[in-house]
Amino acid sequence: MNRDIYFTKEYAEVNELIEHGEAISIEIQCEYGHITHTAIKREIDTGIDGEKYYDLITPYGYGGPVVHEYVNLKKLIEVFEETLMDYCDKHSIVSEFVRFHPLFQNQESFRSVYDVKYMRKTVGTDLISSTDIFQSEFCATARRRVRKLVKDEKFSCILARGFHDIEDFIAIYNDTMDRHHATDFYYFDRAYFEGLKRKFGNRLVTTSVYFEGQIIAMGLYFISEDIIHDHLNGTLAEHLHHSPAYLLKYTMMNWAKANDFSLVHYGGGVSNAEDDSVLKFKKRFSNHTEFEFHIGMKIWNRTAYDALCRQKGIDKKTDYFPAYRAPRIAVKEN
């Protein structure tokens, strides 16, 4: 956990582009232990009496504060909360939204600080629990489709370190998002991918499926200690019927297993519904391996939070957090 890519300041810095904010890093080393915390500081578009205010959010994916070591956890958490409260007061930070890491369940140490809420399951392929991962973790449908693709000489799949094919990936990924009518949140500027390549180099891996020499599907992964994080994937619309995504997953599984990784983590769905179609697809490669994903919410300045909600005409009790960023729904007049 201490060195997972999602907890690094470098990853937060790349995500400044997505959240239109500034990466911050807070470190506490005291007699009680050691905690680090990275986040993105975002300006709130509405001020109060001419003063600017900000909030904090986890970079895309997962994160939150991390306890590296401790001799008295209760006291350490108290110091963390006091330190962060002081930081937020000095920097006009109103609230914080945290996506905790499902693999490490780091929310458990911070339940006294944040309002922690369970959201959904995430899944992965366990690479060490069985000698035959393909049989134990891939469902029958996935195994059948993989075998069909592997036997067909028109298809091939190449795995590469270093993310040298950004242009191909952007084209395939954006085609996939267009097909799903995705919101702006799921699109990334080229600068984001260039930033990942610059910061992480060979810790990035791509799998690419070719059909008759043409690239038709790609996956982008992070190497993080003995874990592979499946970050983003895409398939060209005209080749969906070939199901190349199965070959992407199979290729990564084989490479990760051969190189002594313990897990390929795919994440969860795009909603909290148990029948979410994205999650159901990912479960085809994860017969026995799932995790719980939690979020954390914290209002650091209640007075400013309430004032911002009033200014925007939003009920502060809405489920959306922070409420002052809730999307406004246009009402059509007759």
Side-chain angles (χ1 to χ4, degrees), residues 190-229:
R190 180 188 175 90
Y192 171 73
F193 296 112
E194 293 284 2
L196 287 176
K197 180 179 178 179
R198 183 174 61 256
K199 295 282 188 182
F200 298 106
N202 276 349
R203 292 179 70 183
L204 305 180
V205 179
T206 56
T207 49
S208 305
V209 173
Y210 290 81
F211 174 69
E212 296 182 333
Q214 176 194 356
I215 189 168
I216 63 171
M218 289 188 71
L220 173 63
Y221 303 81
F222 297 154
I223 293 178
S224 193
E225 295 298 301
D226 67 334
I227 295 167
I228 302 289
H229 291 297

Coordinates of all heavy atoms in Angstrom, one line a residue, residues 190-229:
R190 N -4.9 14.7 -24.4 CA -3.6 14.1 -24.8 C -2.6 14.4 -23.7 O -1.7 13.6 -23.4 CB -3.1 14.6 -26.1 CG -1.8 13.9 -26.5 CD -1.2 14.5 -27.8 NE 0.1 13.9 -28.0 CZ 0.4 12.8 -28.7 NH1 -0.7 12.2 -29.3 NH2 1.6 12.3 -28.8
A191 N -2.6 15.6 -23.1 CA -1.7 16.0 -22.1 C -1.7 15.1 -20.9 O -0.7 14.9 -20.2 CB -1.9 17.5 -21.7
Y192 N -2.9 14.5 -20.6 CA -3.0 13.6 -19.5 C -2.2 12.3 -19.8 O -1.4 11.9 -18.9 CB -4.4 13.2 -19.3 CG -4.6 12.1 -18.3 CD1 -4.5 12.3 -16.9 CD2 -5.0 10.8 -18.7 CE1 -4.6 11.2 -16.0 CE2 -5.2 9.8 -17.8 CZ -5.0 10.0 -16.5 OH -5.2 9.0 -15.6
F193 N -2.3 11.8 -20.9 CA -1.6 10.6 -21.3 C -0.1 10.8 -21.4 O 0.8 10.0 -21.0 CB -2.1 10.0 -22.6 CG -3.5 9.5 -22.5 CD1 -4.5 10.2 -23.2 CD2 -3.9 8.5 -21.7 CE1 -5.9 9.8 -23.1 CE2 -5.2 8.0 -21.6 CZ -6.2 8.7 -22.3
E194 N 0.3 12.0 -22.0 CA 1.7 12.4 -22.0 C 2.3 12.5 -20.6 O 3.4 12.1 -20.3 CB 1.9 13.7 -22.8 CG 1.5 13.6 -24.3 CD 2.6 12.9 -25.1 OE1 3.6 12.5 -24.5 OE2 2.5 12.8 -26.3
G195 N 1.5 13.1 -19.7 CA 1.9 13.2 -18.3 C 2.1 11.8 -17.7 O 3.1 11.6 -16.9
L196 N 1.2 10.9 -17.9 CA 1.4 9.5 -17.4 C 2.7 8.9 -17.9 O 3.5 8.3 -17.1 CB 0.2 8.6 -17.8 CG -1.1 8.9 -17.0 CD1 -2.1 7.9 -17.6 CD2 -1.0 8.6 -15.5
K197 N 2.9 9.1 -19.2 CA 4.1 8.5 -19.8 C 5.4 9.1 -19.2 O 6.4 8.5 -18.9 CB 4.1 8.7 -21.3 CG 5.3 8.2 -22.1 CD 5.1 8.4 -23.6 CE 6.4 7.9 -24.3 NZ 6.2 8.1 -25.8
R198 N 5.4 10.5 -19.0 CA 6.5 11.2 -18.5 C 6.8 10.8 -17.1 O 8.0 10.6 -16.7 CB 6.3 12.7 -18.7 CG 7.5 13.5 -18.2 CD 7.2 15.0 -18.5 NE 6.1 15.5 -17.8 CZ 4.9 15.8 -18.3 NH1 4.7 15.6 -19.6 NH2 3.9 16.3 -17.6
K199 N 5.8 10.7 -16.3 CA 6.0 10.4 -14.8 C 6.3 9.0 -14.5 O 7.0 8.7 -13.6 CB 4.7 10.8 -14.1 CG 4.3 12.3 -14.1 CD 5.2 13.1 -13.1 CE 4.7 14.5 -13.1 NZ 5.5 15.4 -12.1
F200 N 5.7 8.0 -15.3 CA 5.7 6.6 -14.9 C 6.4 5.7 -15.9 O 6.7 4.6 -15.5 CB 4.3 6.1 -14.6 CG 3.7 6.9 -13.5 CD1 2.6 7.8 -13.7 CD2 4.1 6.7 -12.2 CE1 2.1 8.5 -12.7 CE2 3.5 7.4 -11.1 CZ 2.5 8.3 -11.4
G201 N 6.7 6.1 -17.1 CA 7.5 5.4 -18.0 C 7.1 3.9 -18.1 O 6.0 3.5 -18.5
N202 N 8.1 3.0 -17.8 CA 7.9 1.6 -17.9 C 6.9 1.0 -16.9 O 6.7 -0.2 -16.9 CB 9.2 0.9 -17.8 CG 9.9 0.8 -19.2 OD1 9.3 1.2 -20.2 ND2 11.2 0.5 -19.2
R203 N 6.4 1.8 -16.0 CA 5.4 1.3 -15.1 C 4.0 1.3 -15.8 O 3.0 0.9 -15.2 CB 5.3 2.2 -13.8 CG 6.5 2.1 -12.9 CD 6.5 2.9 -11.7 NE 5.5 2.5 -10.7 CZ 5.2 3.1 -9.6 NH1 5.8 4.2 -9.3 NH2 4.2 2.6 -8.8
L204 N 4.0 1.8 -17.0 CA 2.8 1.7 -17.9 C 2.9 0.5 -18.8 O 4.0 0.3 -19.4 CB 2.6 3.0 -18.6 CG 2.5 4.3 -17.9 CD1 2.3 5.5 -18.8 CD2 1.4 4.3 -16.8
V205 N 1.8 -0.2 -19.0 CA 1.8 -1.3 -20.0 C 0.6 -1.2 -20.8 O -0.5 -0.8 -20.4 CB 1.8 -2.7 -19.2 CG1 1.7 -3.8 -20.2 CG2 3.0 -2.8 -18.3
T206 N 0.7 -1.5 -22.1 CA -0.4 -1.6 -23.0 C -0.6 -3.0 -23.6 O 0.4 -3.7 -23.8 CB -0.4 -0.6 -24.2 OG1 0.9 -0.8 -24.9 CG2 -0.4 0.9 -23.7
T207 N -1.8 -3.4 -23.8 CA -2.1 -4.6 -24.6 C -2.9 -4.1 -25.8 O -3.8 -3.3 -25.7 CB -2.9 -5.6 -23.8 OG1 -4.0 -5.0 -23.2 CG2 -2.1 -6.3 -22.7
S208 N -2.5 -4.7 -27.0 CA -3.1 -4.2 -28.2 C -3.5 -5.4 -29.1 O -2.7 -6.3 -29.4 CB -2.1 -3.4 -29.0 OG -1.6 -2.3 -28.3
V209 N -4.8 -5.5 -29.4 CA -5.3 -6.5 -30.3 C -5.3 -6.1 -31.8 O -5.8 -5.0 -32.0 CB -6.7 -7.0 -29.9 CG1 -7.3 -8.0 -30.9 CG2 -6.7 -7.6 -28.5
Y210 N -4.7 -6.9 -32.6 CA -4.7 -6.6 -34.1 C -5.6 -7.6 -34.8 O -5.6 -8.8 -34.5 CB -3.3 -6.7 -34.6 CG -2.4 -5.6 -34.1 CD1 -1.8 -5.7 -32.9 CD2 -2.1 -4.5 -34.9 CE1 -0.9 -4.7 -32.4 CE2 -1.2 -3.5 -34.5 CZ -0.7 -3.6 -33.3 OH 0.2 -2.6 -32.8
F211 N -6.3 -7.1 -35.8 CA -7.1 -8.0 -36.7 C -6.6 -7.7 -38.1 O -6.7 -6.6 -38.6 CB -8.6 -7.6 -36.6 CG -9.4 -8.4 -37.6 CD1 -9.6 -9.7 -37.4 CD2 -10.1 -7.7 -38.6 CE1 -10.4 -10.4 -38.4 CE2 -10.9 -8.4 -39.5 CZ -11.1 -9.7 -39.4
E212 N -6.0 -8.7 -38.7 CA -5.5 -8.6 -40.1 C -4.5 -7.4 -40.1 O -4.5 -6.7 -41.1 CB -6.6 -8.5 -41.1 CG -7.5 -9.8 -41.2 CD -8.5 -9.7 -42.2 OE1 -8.9 -8.6 -42.6 OE2 -9.0 -10.8 -42.7
G213 N -3.7 -7.3 -39.1 CA -2.7 -6.2 -39.1 C -3.2 -4.9 -38.6 O -2.3 -3.9 -38.5
Q214 N -4.5 -4.7 -38.4 CA -5.0 -3.4 -38.0 C -5.3 -3.4 -36.5 O -5.9 -4.4 -36.0 CB -6.3 -3.1 -38.7 CG -7.0 -1.8 -38.2 CD -8.4 -1.6 -38.7 OE1 -8.9 -2.4 -39.5 NE2 -9.1 -0.5 -38.2
I215 N -4.9 -2.4 -35.7 CA -5.1 -2.4 -34.3 C -6.6 -2.0 -34.1 O -7.1 -1.1 -34.6 CB -4.2 -1.3 -33.6 CG1 -4.3 -1.5 -32.1 CG2 -4.4 0.1 -34.1 CD1 -3.2 -0.7 -31.4
I216 N -7.3 -2.9 -33.3 CA -8.7 -2.7 -33.1 C -9.1 -2.5 -31.6 O -10.3 -2.2 -31.3 CB -9.5 -3.9 -33.7 CG1 -9.2 -5.2 -33.0 CG2 -9.2 -4.0 -35.2 CD1 -10.1 -6.4 -33.4
A217 N -8.2 -2.8 -30.7 CA -8.6 -2.7 -29.3 C -7.3 -2.5 -28.5 O -6.3 -3.0 -28.8 CB -9.3 -3.9 -28.8
M218 N -7.4 -1.8 -27.3 CA -6.3 -1.5 -26.5 C -6.6 -1.4 -25.0 O -7.8 -1.0 -24.7 CB -5.5 -0.2 -26.9 CG -4.8 -0.3 -28.2 SD -3.8 1.2 -28.5 CE -2.5 0.9 -27.3
G219 N -5.7 -1.8 -24.2 CA -5.9 -1.6 -22.7 C -4.6 -0.9 -22.2 O -3.5 -1.2 -22.6
L220 N -4.8 0.0 -21.2 CA -3.7 0.7 -20.6 C -3.7 0.3 -19.1 O -4.7 0.4 -18.4 CB -3.9 2.2 -20.7 CG -2.9 3.1 -19.9 CD1 -1.5 2.9 -20.4 CD2 -3.3 4.5 -20.1
Y221 N -2.5 -0.2 -18.6 CA -2.4 -0.7 -17.2 C -1.3 0.0 -16.5 O -0.3 0.5 -17.1 CB -2.1 -2.2 -17.3 CG -3.1 -3.0 -18.0 CD1 -3.1 -3.1 -19.4 CD2 -4.1 -3.7 -17.3 CE1 -4.0 -3.9 -20.1 CE2 -5.0 -4.5 -18.0 CZ -4.9 -4.6 -19.4 OH -5.8 -5.4 -20.1
F222 N -1.4 0.1 -15.2 CA -0.4 0.6 -14.3 C 0.3 -0.6 -13.6 O -0.4 -1.5 -13.1 CB -0.9 1.5 -13.2 CG -1.6 2.7 -13.7 CD1 -2.6 3.4 -12.9 CD2 -1.2 3.3 -14.9 CE1 -3.2 4.5 -13.4 CE2 -1.8 4.5 -15.3 CZ -2.8 5.1 -14.6
I223 N 1.6 -0.6 -13.5 CA 2.3 -1.5 -12.6 C 2.6 -0.9 -11.3 O 3.1 0.2 -11.2 CB 3.7 -1.9 -13.2 CG1 3.5 -2.8 -14.5 CG2 4.5 -2.7 -12.3 CD1 4.8 -3.1 -15.2
S224 N 2.1 -1.5 -10.2 CA 2.2 -0.9 -8.9 C 2.7 -2.0 -7.9 O 1.8 -2.8 -7.4 CB 0.9 -0.3 -8.5 OG 1.0 0.5 -7.3
E225 N 4.0 -2.1 -7.7 CA 4.5 -3.2 -6.9 C 4.1 -4.5 -7.5 O 4.4 -4.8 -8.7 CB 4.1 -3.1 -5.4 CG 4.6 -1.8 -4.7 CD 6.2 -1.8 -4.6 OE1 6.7 -2.7 -4.0 OE2 6.8 -0.9 -5.2
D226 N 3.4 -5.4 -6.8 CA 3.0 -6.7 -7.4 C 1.6 -6.7 -7.9 O 1.0 -7.8 -8.1 CB 3.3 -7.8 -6.3 CG 2.3 -7.8 -5.2 OD1 1.8 -6.6 -4.9 OD2 2.0 -8.8 -4.5
I227 N 1.1 -5.5 -8.1 CA -0.3 -5.4 -8.6 C -0.3 -4.7 -9.9 O 0.4 -3.8 -10.2 CB -1.2 -4.6 -7.6 CG1 -1.3 -5.3 -6.2 CG2 -2.6 -4.3 -8.1 CD1 -1.8 -4.4 -5.1
I228 N -1.2 -5.2 -10.8 CA -1.5 -4.5 -12.1 C -2.9 -3.9 -12.0 O -3.9 -4.5 -11.6 CB -1.5 -5.5 -13.2 CG1 -0.2 -6.3 -13.3 CG2 -1.8 -4.8 -14.5 CD1 1.0 -5.5 -13.8
H229 N -2.9 -2.5 -12.2 CA -4.2 -1.8 -12.2 C -4.6 -1.6 -13.7 O -3.9 -1.1 -14.5 CB -4.0 -0.4 -11.6 CG -3.8 -0.4 -10.1 ND1 -4.7 -1.0 -9.2 CD2 -2.8 0.0 -9.4 CE1 -4.3 -0.8 -8.0 NE2 -3.1 -0.3 -8.0

